[in-house]
Coordinates of all heavy atoms in Angstrom, one line a residue:
Q171 N -0.2 25.2 77.8 CA 1.1 24.6 78.3 C 1.1 23.2 77.7 O 2.2 22.7 77.3 CB 1.1 24.5 79.8 CG 1.2 25.9 80.4 CD -0.1 26.7 80.5 OE1 -1.2 26.1 80.2 NE2 0.0 27.9 80.9
F172 N 0.1 22.5 77.6 CA 0.1 21.1 77.0 C 0.6 21.2 75.5 O 1.4 20.4 75.1 CB -1.3 20.5 77.1 CG -1.5 19.2 76.3 CD1 -1.0 18.0 76.8 CD2 -2.0 19.3 75.0 CE1 -1.1 16.8 76.0 CE2 -2.1 18.1 74.2 CZ -1.7 16.9 74.8
A173 N -0.1 22.2 74.8 CA 0.3 22.3 73.4 C 1.7 22.6 73.2 O 2.4 22.0 72.3 CB -0.7 23.3 72.8
S174 N 2.3 23.5 74.0 CA 3.6 23.9 73.8 C 4.6 22.7 74.0 O 5.5 22.5 73.4 CB 3.9 25.1 74.8 OG 5.2 25.6 74.5
L175 N 4.3 21.9 75.0 CA 5.2 20.7 75.4 C 4.9 19.5 74.6 O 5.7 18.7 74.4 CB 5.0 20.5 76.9 CG 5.7 21.4 77.8 CD1 5.1 21.5 79.2 CD2 7.2 21.1 77.8
F176 N 3.6 19.3 74.1 CA 3.3 18.0 73.4 C 3.1 18.1 71.9 O 2.7 17.2 71.3 CB 2.1 17.4 74.1 CG 2.3 16.8 75.4 CD1 2.4 17.6 76.5 CD2 2.5 15.4 75.5 CE1 2.6 17.0 77.8 CE2 2.7 14.8 76.8 CZ 2.7 15.6 77.9
G177 N 3.3 19.3 71.4 CA 3.1 19.5 70.0 C 4.0 18.5 69.2 O 5.1 18.1 69.6
Q178 N 3.5 18.2 67.9 CA 4.3 17.3 67.0 C 4.2 17.9 65.7 O 3.1 18.4 65.3 CB 3.9 15.9 67.0 CG 4.1 15.3 68.3 CD 4.3 13.7 68.2 OE1 4.1 13.2 67.1 NE2 4.8 13.2 69.2
A179 N 5.3 17.9 64.8 CA 5.2 18.5 63.5 C 4.1 17.9 62.7 O 3.9 16.7 62.7 CB 6.6 18.2 62.8
G180 N 3.4 18.7 62.1 CA 2.4 18.3 61.1 C 1.2 17.6 61.8 O 0.4 17.0 61.1
Q181 N 0.9 17.8 63.1 CA -0.1 17.1 63.8 C -0.9 18.1 64.7 O -0.2 18.8 65.4 CB 0.4 15.9 64.7 CG 1.5 15.1 64.1 CD 0.9 13.8 63.6 OE1 -0.2 13.4 64.0 NE2 1.7 13.0 62.9
V182 N -2.1 18.0 64.8 CA -2.9 18.6 65.8 C -3.1 17.6 66.8 O -3.1 16.4 66.6 CB -4.2 19.3 65.3 CG1 -4.0 20.4 64.3 CG2 -5.1 18.3 64.8
V183 N -3.4 18.1 68.0 CA -3.6 17.1 69.1 C -4.9 17.3 69.9 O -5.0 18.4 70.4 CB -2.3 17.0 70.1 CG1 -2.0 18.4 70.5 CG2 -2.5 16.0 71.1
R184 N -5.7 16.3 70.0 CA -6.9 16.5 70.9 C -6.6 16.0 72.3 O -6.1 14.9 72.5 CB -8.1 15.6 70.2 CG -9.3 15.8 71.1 CD -10.5 15.0 70.7 NE -10.0 13.5 70.8 CZ -10.7 12.6 70.1 NH1 -11.7 12.8 69.3 NH2 -10.3 11.2 70.3
L185 N -6.8 16.9 73.2 CA -6.6 16.5 74.6 C -7.9 16.4 75.3 O -8.8 17.3 75.2 CB -5.7 17.6 75.3 CG -5.6 17.4 76.8 CD1 -4.7 16.3 77.1 CD2 -4.9 18.7 77.4
D186 N -8.1 15.3 76.1 CA -9.2 15.2 77.0 C -8.7 15.8 78.3 O -7.9 15.2 78.9 CB -9.5 13.7 77.1 CG -10.6 13.5 78.1 OD1 -10.9 14.2 79.0 OD2 -11.4 12.4 78.0
C187 N -9.3 17.0 78.6 CA -8.7 17.7 79.7 C -9.1 17.0 81.1 O -8.6 17.5 82.2 CB -9.1 19.1 79.8 SG -8.4 20.0 78.3
R188 N -9.9 16.0 81.1 CA -10.2 15.3 82.3 C -9.2 14.1 82.6 O -8.4 14.1 83.5 CB -11.6 14.7 82.4 CG -11.7 13.7 83.6 CD -13.2 13.4 83.7 NE -14.0 14.5 84.3 CZ -15.3 14.6 84.2 NH1 -16.0 13.6 83.6 NH2 -15.9 15.6 84.7
S189 N -9.2 13.2 81.6 CA -8.4 12.0 81.7 C -6.9 12.3 81.4 O -6.0 11.5 81.6 CB -8.9 10.9 80.8 OG -8.7 11.2 79.5
L190 N -6.7 13.4 80.6 CA -5.4 13.8 80.0 C -4.9 12.8 79.0 O -3.7 12.8 78.6 CB -4.3 14.0 81.2 CG -4.6 14.9 82.2 CD1 -3.5 15.1 83.2 CD2 -4.9 16.3 81.6
A191 N -5.9 12.1 78.4 CA -5.6 11.2 77.3 C -5.5 12.1 76.0 O -6.2 13.1 75.9 CB -6.6 10.2 77.1
Y192 N -4.6 11.8 75.1 CA -4.5 12.7 73.9 C -4.2 11.8 72.7 O -3.7 10.8 72.8 CB -3.5 13.8 74.1 CG -2.0 13.3 74.5 CD1 -1.1 12.9 73.6 CD2 -1.8 13.1 75.9 CE1 0.1 12.5 73.9 CE2 -0.5 12.6 76.2 CZ 0.4 12.2 75.3 OH 1.6 11.8 75.6
E193 N -4.7 12.5 71.6 CA -4.5 11.7 70.3 C -4.2 12.7 69.2 O -4.7 13.8 69.2 CB -5.9 11.1 70.0 CG -5.9 10.2 68.7 CD -7.3 9.6 68.3 OE1 -8.2 9.7 69.2 OE2 -7.4 9.1 67.2
Y194 N -3.2 12.3 68.4 CA -2.7 13.2 67.3 C -3.4 12.9 66.1 O -3.8 11.8 65.7 CB -1.2 12.9 67.0 CG -0.4 13.4 68.2 CD1 0.1 12.5 69.2 CD2 0.0 14.7 68.4 CE1 0.8 12.9 70.2 CE2 0.8 15.1 69.4 CZ 1.2 14.2 70.3 OH 2.0 14.7 71.4
F195 N -3.7 14.0 65.3 CA -4.4 13.8 64.0 C -3.5 14.6 63.0 O -3.2 15.8 63.2 CB -5.8 14.6 64.0 CG -6.7 13.9 64.9 CD1 -6.8 14.2 66.3 CD2 -7.7 13.0 64.4 CE1 -7.8 13.5 67.1 CE2 -8.7 12.5 65.2 CZ -8.7 12.7 66.5
P196 N -3.2 14.0 61.9 CA -2.4 14.7 60.9 C -3.1 15.9 60.3 O -4.3 15.9 60.1 CB -2.2 13.6 59.8 CG -2.6 12.4 60.3 CD -3.5 12.6 61.5
F197 N -2.4 17.0 60.1 CA -3.0 18.2 59.6 C -1.9 18.7 58.6 O -0.9 19.2 59.0 CB -3.2 19.2 60.7 CG -4.1 20.3 60.1 CD1 -5.5 20.3 60.3 CD2 -3.5 21.4 59.5 CE1 -6.3 21.3 59.8 CE2 -4.4 22.4 58.9 CZ -5.7 22.3 59.1
D198 N -2.3 18.6 57.4 CA -1.3 18.9 56.3 C -1.5 20.4 55.9 O -2.3 20.8 55.1 CB -1.6 18.0 55.0 CG -0.6 18.2 54.0 OD1 0.3 19.1 54.2 OD2 -0.7 17.5 53.0
T199 N -0.5 21.2 56.4 CA -0.6 22.7 56.1 C -0.1 23.0 54.7 O -0.1 24.2 54.3 CB 0.2 23.5 57.1 OG1 1.5 23.0 57.3 CG2 -0.5 23.7 58.4
S200 N 0.3 22.0 53.9 CA 0.6 22.3 52.5 C -0.6 22.2 51.7 O -0.7 22.7 50.6 CB 1.8 21.4 52.0 OG 1.3 20.1 52.0
A201 N -1.6 21.5 52.2 CA -2.9 21.4 51.5 C -3.9 22.5 51.8 O -4.7 22.9 51.1 CB -3.5 20.0 51.7
C202 N -3.8 22.9 53.1 CA -4.7 23.9 53.7 C -3.9 24.8 54.6 O -3.2 24.2 55.6 CB -5.8 23.2 54.4 SG -6.7 24.2 55.6
H203 N -3.8 26.1 54.3 CA -2.9 26.9 55.1 C -3.6 27.5 56.3 O -4.8 27.7 56.3 CB -2.5 28.2 54.3 CG -1.3 27.9 53.5 ND1 -0.4 28.8 53.1 CD2 -0.7 26.7 53.1 CE1 0.7 28.3 52.5 NE2 0.5 27.0 52.4
I204 N -2.9 27.6 57.4 CA -3.4 28.2 58.6 C -3.0 29.6 58.6 O -1.8 30.0 58.6 CB -2.9 27.6 60.0 CG1 -3.4 26.1 60.0 CG2 -3.5 28.3 61.1 CD1 -2.9 25.4 61.2
V205 N -3.9 30.6 58.5 CA -3.6 32.0 58.4 C -4.2 32.6 59.6 O -5.4 32.5 60.0 CB -4.2 32.6 57.1 CG1 -3.7 34.2 57.1 CG2 -3.7 31.9 55.8
L206 N -3.3 33.4 60.3 CA -3.7 34.0 61.6 C -3.9 35.5 61.3 O -3.0 36.0 60.7 CB -2.7 33.8 62.7 CG -2.3 32.4 63.0 CD1 -1.2 32.3 63.9 CD2 -3.6 31.7 63.5

Side-chain angles (χ1 to χ4, degrees):
Q171 292 78 10
F172 170 82
S174 187
L175 281 156
F176 283 80
Q178 295 214 344
Q181 317 257 348
V182 297
V183 53
R184 182 185 59 200
L185 174 68
D186 176 335
C187 297
R188 169 172 289 162
S189 69
L190 301 181
Y192 51 93
E193 187 182 347
Y194 292 95
F195 294 81
F197 192 97
D198 184 1
T199 46
S200 64
C202 161
H203 274 203
I204 299 178
V205 182
L206 306 173

